[in-house]
Amino acid sequence: MAKVKYYYDADTLSYRKIERKKSTAFKYAAVFLLAAGLFGFLSFAIISSYIKSPKERQLARELQNMQLQYELLNKRMDDAIAALENVEERDNAIYRLYFEANPIPEEQRRAGFGGINRYKKFEGFDNSQLIGESNKRLDVLEKAIVVQSKSLDEIAKLAEDKEKFLEAIPAIQPVNNENLTRMASGYGFRTDPFTKARKFHFGMDFTAPRGTPVYATGNGIVRRADNRSSGYGKHIRIDHGYGYMTLYAHLYKYNVRVNQRVKRGDLIGYVGSTGRSEAPHLHYEVHKDGQRVNPINFYYGNLSATEFNELLRKASLENQSLD
């Protein structure tokens, strides 16, 4: 039961009941409700700062997990970059050096991306720097991998060309050692067997019985197999590419035809004594870019060090040639 309040009225000399105005009651009610609402809001704010809702706890866990994943991603990128740098070092210091290709500059391998800010979309978040930096490193890593991939493609092509080159250049004796009677004459000044004059001998003469097999000293294409060159008699010329050509003269007969592709070690003809020749032998020449060079430098493919030294000694003797 609500308390009733009275006041003393001096005019009537009596107690009169205090009547509360409706506007005053409304004002009190409004102030109470406002105070209650403010108190509730403050209480909720204070409590919520210490006590998170299930949804907030779930989002916090997801954010923490995402941060952990980015840290792991950075660690994996560190490992990938280290492995790539190892390949790049070998690429520049070994592969490209061996195949005489220019090394790829570091600034080309690690070049960034100019123009607009590609990572602006990651700004404004709690972990913006971590996310943006991770994506930037990933972009640079992907570009470096592309550069290295193209480099390896180039190296593979150079290796293929190098293999073809090594197979093409003259690298063996045209006559097997077991078939040789002797190495009659080398490259340099020799006595002409017919005029007895001292003149330059542009090949090497291998003495062997008539019919001894003669072999191609490198891969190539037969350009000539005829006797239409003065002094050489029946002879064969093989174009090896890369500026190399070999000539096999004074043959007894051929085992190849013009435009035939041959490989190193293929039987191409037989020793004879046709043309300007004093006895059965093979006159062998190596041409590089149109100039005749010393064939002694092109026998590394089938001679041991001892055999090569002995051949070099005999080829150095200034004796009489056979053609």
Side-chain angles (χ1 to χ4, degrees), residues 77-315:
M77 280 194 288
D78 288 339
D79 294 340
I81 289 172
L84 180 61
E85 286 175 347
N86 181 265
V87 175
E88 290 171 345
E89 183 179 357
R90 283 183 288 153
D91 184 37
N92 276 347
I94 301 177
Y95 308 144
R96 302 187 71 81
L97 182 65
Y98 177 77
F99 293 110
E100 300 177 352
N102 293 326
I104 299 176
E106 182 68 16
E107 54 271 21
Q108 182 178 341
R109 292 184 182 274
R110 296 288 180 268
F113 299 87
I116 61 173
N117 184 2
R118 299 164 55 90
Y119 313 103
K120 189 175 182 63
K121 59 185 176 181
F122 301 121
E123 296 177 356
F125 300 99
D126 292 340
N127 296 285
S128 295
Q129 184 176 1
L130 175 64
I131 299 172
E133 189 64 26
S134 296
N135 279 272
K136 182 177 180 180
R137 294 185 69 199
L138 185 60
D139 285 343
V140 173
L141 177 60
E142 287 178 346
K143 183 174 182 180
I145 290 174
V146 171
V147 172
Q148 183 57 52
S149 177
K150 290 182 179 179
S151 176
L152 291 177
D153 288 341
E154 181 184 355
I155 292 299
K157 180 65 169 61
L158 290 172
E160 182 181 350
D161 292 342
K162 190 81 169 183
E163 183 178 5
K164 291 179 180 178
F165 169 73
L166 293 175
E167 291 174 345
I169 60 174
I172 63 173
Q173 278 188 177
V175 179
N176 288 335
N177 271 338
E178 56 266 26
N179 296 326
L180 289 178
T181 304
R182 64 189 177 96
M183 211 295 295
S185 181
Y187 181 91
F189 282 99
R190 300 291 183 269
T191 301
D192 185 282
F194 299 101
T195 66
K196 306 303 179 182
R198 186 171 180 267
K199 73 174 192 177
F200 203 91
H201 186 245
F202 287 99
M204 294 185 73
D205 291 343
F206 295 93
T207 303
R210 182 174 181 268
T212 298
V214 175
Y215 302 97
T217 57
N219 295 1
I221 299 174
V222 177
R223 294 303 184 192
R224 292 185 63 174
D226 57 59
N227 61 354
R228 297 192 302 273
S229 188
S230 176
Y232 287 131
K234 290 183 178 180
H235 74 290
I236 294 171
R237 302 189 193 208
I238 298 177
D239 181 1
H240 302 277
Y242 307 97
Y244 287 95
M245 193 273 292
T246 50
L247 182 148
Y248 313 77
H250 311 304
L251 299 175
Y252 161 58
K253 64 178 180 178
Y254 313 113
N255 194 55
V256 291
R257 63 184 183 280
V258 175
N259 294 326
Q260 179 178 336
R261 189 174 294 275
V262 295
K263 293 183 178 181
R264 180 182 295 145
D266 283 353
L267 175 63
I268 59 173
Y270 300 90
V271 171
S273 187
T274 58
R276 192 175 184 272
S277 171
E278 188 179 58
H281 75 286
L282 173 72
H283 175 82
Y284 174 65
E285 294 181 7
V286 176
H287 297 199
K288 177 67 171 73
D289 298 325
Q291 302 296 319
R292 289 177 285 191
V293 297
N294 194 343
I296 196 69
N297 300 315
F298 297 90
Y299 300 137
Y300 61 85
N302 67 340
L303 294 182
S304 66
T306 302
E307 290 172 331
F308 179 79
N309 288 333
E310 180 62 17
L311 181 65
L312 182 61
R313 185 188 67 79
K314 293 178 179 178

Side-chain angles (χ1 to χ4, degrees), residues 29-97:
V31 171
F32 174 78
L33 291 175
L34 180 61
L38 181 60
F39 176 78
F41 175 76
L42 291 175
S43 299
F44 176 78
I46 294 172
I47 293 173
S48 63
S49 64
Y50 292 98
I51 303 175
K52 298 184 181 297
S53 67
K55 182 66 174 177
E56 288 175 321
R57 287 196 294 270
Q58 179 184 352
L59 292 175
R61 285 195 299 269
E62 290 179 359
L63 182 61
Q64 185 178 9
N65 182 62
M66 184 178 297
Q67 184 174 357
L68 176 62
Q69 292 301 320
Y70 269 105
E71 290 174 354
L72 292 175
L73 176 63
N74 274 318
K75 178 63 172 63
R76 293 174 65 184
M77 280 194 288
D78 288 339
D79 294 340
I81 289 172
L84 180 61
E85 286 175 347
N86 181 265
V87 175
E88 290 171 345
E89 183 179 357
R90 283 183 288 153
D91 184 37
N92 276 347
I94 301 177
Y95 308 144
R96 302 187 71 81
L97 182 65

